[in-house]
Amino acid sequence: MLNFDNRFLRDLPGDTDRHNAPRQVFGACWSPVDPTPVAAPTLLAHSREVAAALGLDEQAMAAPEMLAALAGNALLPGMAAYASCYGGHQFGQWAGQLGDGRAILLGEAVNRQGQRLELQLKGAGPTPYSRRADGRAVLRSSIREFLCSEAMHHLGVPTTRALSLVATGETVVRDMFYDGHPVAEPGAVVCRVAPSFTRFGHFELLAARGERELLQRLVDFTIARDFAELVTGAEPSLAAWFGEVCERTARLMVHWMRVGFVHGVMNTDNMSILGLTIDYGPYGWVDNFDPGWTPNTTDASSRRYCFARQPAIARWNLERLADALAMLTPRPVELAAGIERYDEVYSSEFCAAFAGKLGLCEWHHDDADLLEELFELMRQAEIDMTEFFRCLASLDIDNPAIDVVQSAFYRDDLRLRFSAPVSRWLTRYAARVRQDAQPAARRAARMNAANPRYVLRNYLAQQAIDRAEQGDTQRIHDLLDVLRHPYVEQAGCAAFSAKRPDWARHRAGCSTLSCSS
Ligand code: AMP
Ligand code: MG
């Protein structure tokens, strides 16, 4: 059974008002709030790896008390339910208090290895931070969050995890296109799991309100609980800790860029202090390589959060965090070193990641040029990012022929038009690879370990959603299985690596999504 030790509640002040109504909450980091029970919960899927990390076997997952807890209908012994208070910059503007409007924390489970894992229900009903919304989530976005957080983990990308996906048996009304056509959709609750759900916005809100003392407490708490490895004797300086946050964020951005993930809503309230991918909403995966692509319809005109801008936005978000922390130090300039560390780590990790994707033993200065040229070709020729990098491993470097990457093109006309420049690039690339004098099999193995065969393409998630909405969850399980080993070619799984089909190019859910979830 789960063993809880709820430090966030114990060490940080909570809201004294127990009334579950929207309000501004001052002088507190959390508000007590119980999940709102649902009519007829069913466990649609769970992650056996996350269950195992929590020490839960299949029998424990199948217990009725577990289902009740994962649906928000009851608490298990040791659980305590609360919503946390944070603010954030949304689309570049300070938005004031936001908070867990549809997330309810259930406490911190400590597993047998002593690892602390927070459990959080998403979609379990309103909290004091729900503002005018209902605190609920629809099945489609819950499936997307459940599958993608597990897929990201198996890709090696830092992320919050998902323990379970529960259908509520109730409907939730959403106006998916914001066009005045609300529809009753099936509802669901996901149980998310992470060492910490603390966001940049937790610190920003306290700073914006001038709650200096509480801000210092939250920083001390975060360092002690979530960055214990930094505490060697004395507590690290504020700047040292901020530098660590910057480094983790830089590494995360490199991961997103290397796998072609676009978060879609990189507001500061959606930035994890641990450098995890958090809050899967209108995210998407790059199909044809398009640096300007965003899956988020709300962002379609300004493209603030498009694929290529993610590293710059993360940096901007870190600057907002630095602004918030500045009131805690007489020498705020020291925080600038963290931003520099972000730049350095991003560059070096990016080079290392793309050296891996290209199968190079090490990154040479001129390789940046080679990669830039490739990106430009991929963009113009509308080449599928995942397919191209995966196929590149099969290139015969003594006889580089375009055939191996034929399947990465979406359009025949562009394939013909760009066949000469792509061939020239392959020749140049082959010459570069030959410099490394690396056995071909070694290069291919390294590339296959860096270039996933399977990612949660937008249309694949949508197919699983379409079927689940008809009551058939098989696709969710199939995807979970395949995405468990994204770098390994799996027999009979061609359908899960296929490029986006034509029908999916403009279909909602397959190419673009709204925040309405
Ligand atoms: P997001 O864009 O999902 O990161 O959400 C931004 C803010 O809106 C957060 O404070 C959320 O908790 C809140 N929010 C989003 N959807 C809902 C909902 N259905 N009910 C209550 N609050 C919500
Ligand atoms: Mg959020």
Side-chain angles (χ1 to χ4, degrees):
M1 263 293 118
L2 295 166
N3 172 35
F4 286 92
D5 175 40
N6 305 326
R7 275 180 79 175
F8 195 86
L9 288 189
R10 200 171 59 228
D11 295 352
L12 294 167
D15 189 357
T16 48
D17 186 350
R18 284 206 64 99
H19 193 51
N20 188 7
R23 61 172 172 273
Q24 293 290 306
V25 175
F26 296 98
C29 291
W30 52 273
S31 300
V33 59
D34 284 328
T36 305
V38 298
T42 37
L43 182 64
L44 298 184
H46 74 275
S47 159
R48 61 172 189 246
E49 293 86 359
V50 179
L54 288 163
L56 299 170
D57 59 19
E58 294 299 298
Q59 204 185 339
M61 287 306 293
E65 312 84 74
M66 186 60 69
L67 174 61
L70 298 176
N73 283 7
L75 297 181
L76 294 171
M79 281 182 169
Y82 58 100
S84 77
C85 182
Y86 56 80
H89 279 84
Q90 297 186 313
F91 296 94
Q93 306 295 324
W94 174 243
Q97 178 184 300
L98 297 165
D100 290 326
R102 58 162 163 178
I104 296 181
L105 288 144
L106 297 177
E108 303 165 37
V110 181
N111 68 15
R112 272 190 218 105
Q113 294 75 41
Q115 192 193 8
R116 187 175 292 271
L117 291 165
E118 286 194 299
L119 270 58
Q120 184 181 73
L121 299 182
K122 183 166 175 180
T127 77
Y129 308 99
S130 298
R131 290 171 288 162
R132 284 189 306 277
D134 57 6
R136 292 294 184 193
V138 293
L139 178 63
R140 63 183 153 88
S141 52
S142 304
I143 292 173
R144 284 167 48 82
E145 170 135 19
F146 175 79
L147 284 176
C148 200
S149 41
E150 289 308 285
M152 291 285 264
H153 167 75
H154 294 298
L155 281 165
V157 182
T159 178
T160 63
R161 305 290 301 273
L163 171 62
S164 57
L165 170 68
V166 170
T168 59
E170 295 179 355
T171 55
V172 176
V173 176
R174 287 289 181 273
D175 186 354
M176 185 168 164
F177 301 105
Y178 300 123
D179 62 355
H181 293 94
V183 174
E185 300 188 44
V189 176
V190 168
C191 180
R192 311 198 284 194
V193 176
S196 166
F197 283 95
T198 304
R199 301 138 190 273
F200 292 7
H202 280 96
F203 304 90
E204 287 179 278
L205 182 62
L206 297 175
R209 288 172 168 175
E211 299 194 47
R212 189 182 178 287
E213 220 170 295
L214 187 49
L215 177 61
Q216 183 68 59
R217 264 180 85 177
L218 181 63
V219 169
D220 293 343
F221 173 84
T222 304
I223 293 173
R225 191 192 68 169
D226 301 332
F227 289 81
E229 71 285 356
L230 289 189
V231 187
T232 47
E235 190 175 296
S237 70
L238 183 75
W241 168 65
F242 177 66
E244 178 68 19
V245 175
C246 290
E247 172 155 349
R248 289 179 186 223
T249 306
R251 289 179 187 277
L252 180 66
M253 287 309 110
V254 171
H255 279 295
W256 288 2
M257 301 312 284
R258 78 170 174 86
V259 298
F261 175 80
V262 187
H263 182 283
V265 205
M266 289 178 69
N267 294 332
T268 56
D269 52 301
N270 291 338
M271 295 293 292
S272 146
I273 202 74
L274 287 180
L276 308 174
T277 312
I278 191 171
D279 275 13
Y280 291 88
Y283 70 82
W285 292 82
V286 167
D287 290 312
N288 55 297
F289 185 83
D290 178 359
W293 183 69
T294 173
N296 184 355
T297 50
T298 315
D299 194 28
S301 54
S302 73
R303 295 187 186 266
R304 179 180 171 86
Y305 298 142
C306 71
F307 182 44
R309 277 204 195 143
Q310 297 187 118
I313 291 291
R315 189 183 193 279
W316 189 88
N317 289 342
L318 284 163
E319 286 173 344
R320 301 292 73 73
L321 177 59
D323 291 346
L325 300 176
M327 69 157 61
L328 298 180
T329 166
R331 294 175 304 280
V333 288
E334 285 179 8
L335 296 169
I339 303 292
E340 276 168 35
R341 185 154 154 204
Y342 175 85
D343 292 339
E344 284 158 18
V345 172
Y346 182 79
S347 305
S348 61
E349 288 296 306
F350 182 89
C351 294
F354 277 84
K357 286 179 80 68
L358 292 171
L360 306 175
C361 291
E362 59 182 33
W363 188 257
H364 295 170
H365 186 69
D366 290 350
D367 295 335
D369 214 45
L370 184 73
L371 186 61
E372 269 315 306
E373 196 185 321
L374 173 62
F375 283 166
E376 188 52 21
L377 279 171
M378 291 175 89
R379 184 185 71 77
Q380 289 181 8
E382 296 188 15
I383 289 172
D384 187 86
M385 180 179 176
T386 305
E387 180 75 6
F388 182 88
F389 277 105
R390 185 73 186 188
C391 292
L392 194 59
S394 315
L395 189 75
D396 176 357
I397 58 160
D398 297 317
N399 183 20
I402 196 169
D403 316 23
V404 293
V405 295
Q406 294 280 20
S407 58
F409 288 85
Y410 277 95
R411 285 171 46 180
D412 284 342
D413 58 336
L414 292 176
R415 183 170 51 79
L416 293 173
R417 175 138 46 101
F418 285 91
S419 106
V422 170
S423 296
R424 273 198 300 278
W425 185 88
L426 291 171
T427 304
R428 187 179 162 197
Y429 166 71
R432 168 65 186 86
V433 169
R434 279 197 298 273
Q435 284 176 15
D436 280 351
Q438 186 182 194
R442 263 253 314 280
R443 171 178 143 267
R446 287 188 66 219
M447 290 179 77
N448 287 341
N451 295 309
R453 173 80 281 182
Y454 309 96
V455 295
L456 184 60
R457 290 177 183 274
N458 313 311
Y459 84 91
L460 292 172
Q462 188 58 42
Q463 285 176 327
I465 290 166
D466 289 343
R467 283 176 59 172
E469 287 180 344
Q470 304 304 314
D472 171 8
T473 56
Q474 190 54 44
R475 265 291 158 114
I476 297 174
H477 300 289
D478 294 346
L479 278 170
L480 200 55
D481 279 343
V482 175
L483 296 169
R484 191 169 274 131
H485 304 288
Y487 299 99
V488 181
E489 197 86 43
Q490 296 167 55
C493 293
F496 297 102
S497 61
K499 299 199 303 283
R500 176 197 61 218
D502 260 353
W503 60 260
R505 198 176 167 97
H506 298 294
R507 209 195 125 183
C510 298
S511 55
T512 54
L513 296 117
S514 74
C515 279
S516 150
S517 52

